[in-house]
Amino acid sequence: MENKNVVIIGGGAAGLLAAAESAKRGNNTVIIEKNSRPARKVMITGKGRCNVTNACFDLDELIGNVVTNPRFMYSAFSAFMPYDTIALVKDMGVPTKVERGCRVFPQSDKAVDIVDALVKNATQSGAKIVEGTAKAFDFDGEKISAVILENGDRIACDAVAVCTGGKSYSKTGSTGDGYTLAKSVGHTVITPKPSLVPLVCSNNFVPALQGLSLKNVAIRAFEGDREVYSDFGEMLFTHFGVSGPIVLSASCHMRDNTDYKLVIDLKPALDETQLDKRIQRDFAENNNKDFINSLAKLLPRKLIPVIVKLSGIEPSAKCNQITKEQRKALVNLLKNFTLNVTGFRPIEEAIVTSGGVNVKEIDPKTMRSKLVPNLYFAGEVIDVDAYTGGFNLQIAFSTGYLCGNNI
């Protein structure tokens, strides 16, 4: 079979794996990457440690962690599972470890090791990396014959794959270029929105809680009266609202700035009766103390003044004077600590983009465009996104692998 000239636009997780697989098949493969160093976004994932995938080895469970268009991922995940990702980086000299939530990290805790492994895999397979920004296609209405760069260079091609990422973390190079390229040849782009993004809250006590991290709490997200998501784990208060793993996952289910609220159970291990007994014990130990000084064992220090104010109980009230009704109201407050969500942080602060090239226009078994026979897509540029925990990088690897093997 005659070698094809293949251009991969974008040297991120999807592009590097697509290029490696394409080159292994004998194609003359060129990666166009706008940054001087590829995979800039991979470098900052997992707080610089790189949550490279999730040790979720059951296909249905894996698909269950995809929020947008999960069934589209069936063939890609079947072709390249998380254990394939783990084996790939291990073969490149990067052993991994599994942490809470089945998150997979390099044993070194260094994202740069994953980046170097992906680049090494691509270049050793025969792919070449060219620094530049793809701006347009030479398109005759049927096929793409070349990719035109910002500097005017023209790279001829028999096939091209758009692996440019979305619009989140634009400083890493994902500035929505792929959407423009896709639209230029007739593809539909679902409007990009932030996903896995911190939430802005209007409660006036939020700034006072900045920096407070809560572990082992349960949250429920409501749109009006309808519960749209629930989770258990860790969250963080910021100057504008809340962030942290369970908040980011909840944000996937908040598509528009409508009437959302987060209800936090600060003591999920105790039901209301058990929590009431616990508070009664604390009050008994602090019988003659002020209410505000009786909560140190129950709550983090930063949260105490906020809870006291919201409870309606006088801070200076003696514990032995607090009524049963006041105590019950306190229990309810701790089990239903409510935040009013007024919006998202900007898309530039989102971990991933929801939206992108319409999956109805892409063959899920090959990642090939249904509109342009020599055009392919992989990674975040496609309208697919998942929960936090390594699932979005796995989407990039799986779609990249399928794209590279079929191009």
Side-chain angles (χ1 to χ4, degrees), residues 221-237:
F222 289 89
E223 180 180 7
D225 295 327
R226 183 175 69 93
E227 185 175 318
V228 294
Y229 186 70
S230 63
D231 205 353
F232 174 86
E234 191 174 338
M235 62 179 288
L236 172 73
F237 283 90

Side-chain angles (χ1 to χ4, degrees), residues 45 106 117 134 151 167 175 215 243 315 367 374 379 383-384:
T45 61
N151 64 4
K167 283 196 82 169
T175 51
K215 294 181 179 178
S243 187
M367 296 296 129
N374 66 337
D383 182 23
V384 182

Side-chain angles (χ1 to χ4, degrees), residues 183-210:
K183 283 179 182 176
S184 74
V185 292
H187 272 281
T188 311
V189 173
I190 307 300
T191 304
K193 294 177 183 175
S195 189
L196 296 180
V197 67
L199 299 173
V200 179
C201 301
S202 61
N203 309 69
N204 57 14
F205 55 76
V206 163
L209 297 176
Q210 180 179 351

